[in-house]
Amino acid sequence: MTTSTATAAASTTAPGKAAAPGPARPRRRRRLAQWGFVAPAVVFMLLFFGYPLVRNVVMSFQHYTPKTFFTGQAPFNGTDNWSAVLQDALFGKALWHTLVFTAGSLLGQFCIGLALAVFFSRRFPLNGVLRSLILLPWLVPMVVSGIVWRRILDQDTGVLNTFLGTLGLSGDTPWLTSPDMALLSVILVNIWIGIPFNMVILYGGLQEIPRELYEAASLDGASAWRAFRSVTLPMLRPVITVVLVLGFMSTVKVLDLILALTDGGPADATQTLGTLTYQNSFVQLDFGAGAVVGNVLILISAAFAVFYLRANRTDGK
């Protein structure tokens, strides 16, 4: 009787303790279901991002030639590809041109896009129609934009020089054929293409700012410029971070626009890391050197991706 009483007491003691865990089978099923939803994305990332990335890194340490496609033999040559590329004077020029092209494009796209976003945040007739028209450069394929602008900027028959000539200005400016003007011309064309993206994203961010903040700033006697600095810019900071980082990652690797406008010339004046990768891999057929330049681009993009994640984490806190 003592044993049965102790057993009953043990079963009724500690009513506040947590109940025993349920069967493991339902939890296992839920876990499998969760992995079932995640698995397609993981497989997609591994196949279409992971494998090319690893293959490109391996290729940069191989003597990879067109003959390799038939024989399958690509002997490792250590860091010979890296030494040859990093010691090449053209790589330094391409890196500098990439930085100038990216910085100039981002600055122009962001400033003009922000100005247009602020302008269109006010209500006026034909607001929607004009915003739709500004989106056209963003909708046109970049190769088509490059070909059209190449005709416009042609020194002899271009519309721009013809128009400047009718105004009595210089009508024979070598926009794309002068080493001093070519990079600037490419930057201006890329700014024209990227303005709609910046305007759309920043315009959406402006719509999320409460109007009460501007009313409070007006009651405090703040001018329009003061309200812009004290209200608009701080509230837009997360959106600005997204615009600049995504803009950087899409601009630093631009290839088709430069190929359509100048093909990296004249005299390598518009040669960037993107065009240098193309030249090494598909013109000179030196796939190892092309992989090296591609890896440098990947490292630069990865650095800014880390900055983007850290900035978002800081804003979240």
Side-chain angles (χ1 to χ4, degrees):
M1 181 169 180
T2 305
T3 305
S4 62
T5 305
T7 304
S11 62
T12 57
T13 54
K17 289 186 178 181
R25 185 172 298 177
R27 292 201 305 271
R28 193 174 301 134
R29 288 178 179 176
R30 287 197 299 270
R31 184 65 59 84
L32 290 176
Q34 293 170 356
W35 278 108
F37 284 107
V38 175
V42 173
V43 173
F44 177 83
M45 294 290 291
L46 290 177
L47 287 178
F48 295 99
F49 291 93
Y51 174 75
L53 177 61
V54 174
R55 194 71 190 88
N56 196 69
V57 173
V58 174
M59 190 184 299
S60 66
F61 295 98
Q62 292 177 314
H63 182 63
Y64 207 98
T65 63
K67 186 179 179 180
T68 304
F69 291 99
F70 301 97
T71 64
Q73 298 178 358
F76 284 89
N77 57 4
T79 59
D80 291 348
N81 293 331
W82 288 85
S83 299
V85 170
L86 297 179
Q87 293 176 5
D88 188 3
L90 184 57
F91 175 80
K93 291 178 60 176
L95 179 60
W96 172 249
H97 294 160
T98 302
L99 296 177
V100 174
F101 173 77
T102 304
S105 298
L106 289 182
L107 181 62
Q109 293 171 0
F110 174 76
C111 292
I112 299 176
L114 179 59
L116 290 174
V118 173
F119 175 76
F120 283 112
S121 62
R122 303 176 181 180
R123 296 183 178 180
F124 58 89
L126 300 180
N127 184 309
V129 175
L130 293 178
R131 277 192 288 122
S132 301
L133 292 176
I134 291 179
L135 290 178
L136 290 178
W138 193 26
L139 302 177
V140 177
M142 195 168 289
V143 174
V144 177
S145 299
I147 295 174
V148 171
W149 274 101
R150 185 168 186 170
R151 297 293 299 272
I152 294 174
L153 298 176
D154 187 86
Q155 182 177 357
D156 300 322
T157 61
V159 176
L160 182 58
N161 276 344
T162 302
F163 176 72
L164 293 176
T166 58
L167 297 179
L169 303 175
S170 176
D172 58 348
T173 304
W175 297 102
L176 299 176
T177 56
S178 170
D180 298 327
M181 294 289 299
L183 185 59
L184 175 61
S185 301
V186 173
I187 291 174
L188 293 177
V189 174
N190 194 55
I191 289 174
W192 177 81
I193 293 174
I195 286 174
F197 171 77
N198 285 258
M199 186 200 71
V200 168
I201 303 300
L202 294 172
Y203 177 82
L206 288 173
Q207 303 310 303
E208 299 298 323
I209 300 177
R211 300 294 101 183
E212 293 80 3
L213 297 179
Y214 293 104
E215 295 175 359
S218 178
L219 292 176
D220 290 340
S223 62
W225 173 244
R226 177 72 179 182
F228 178 79
R229 287 194 301 114
S230 301
V231 177
T232 304
L233 289 181
M235 297 295 294
L236 272 183
R237 194 174 73 170
V239 180
I240 291 174
T241 302
V242 172
V243 167
L244 291 180
V245 174
L246 294 182
F248 173 87
M249 297 181 70
S250 64
T251 303
V252 73
K253 58 182 179 61
V254 166
L255 171 64
D256 42 5
L257 176 65
I258 299 177
L259 290 181
L261 285 172
T262 62
D263 198 19
D268 296 321
T270 58
Q271 197 78 257
T272 63
L273 293 180
T275 59
L276 186 59
T277 304
Y278 172 81
Q279 294 287 340
N280 286 336
S281 298
F282 301 107
V283 177
Q284 301 177 11
L285 300 180
D286 189 352
F287 298 102
V292 171
V293 183
N295 287 330
V296 173
L297 272 176
I298 292 173
L299 290 175
I300 295 174
S301 299
F304 270 80
V306 171
F307 165 76
Y308 168 68
L309 294 176
R310 290 179 63 88
N312 274 359
R313 188 179 306 169
T314 303
D315 290 335
K317 292 179 181 180

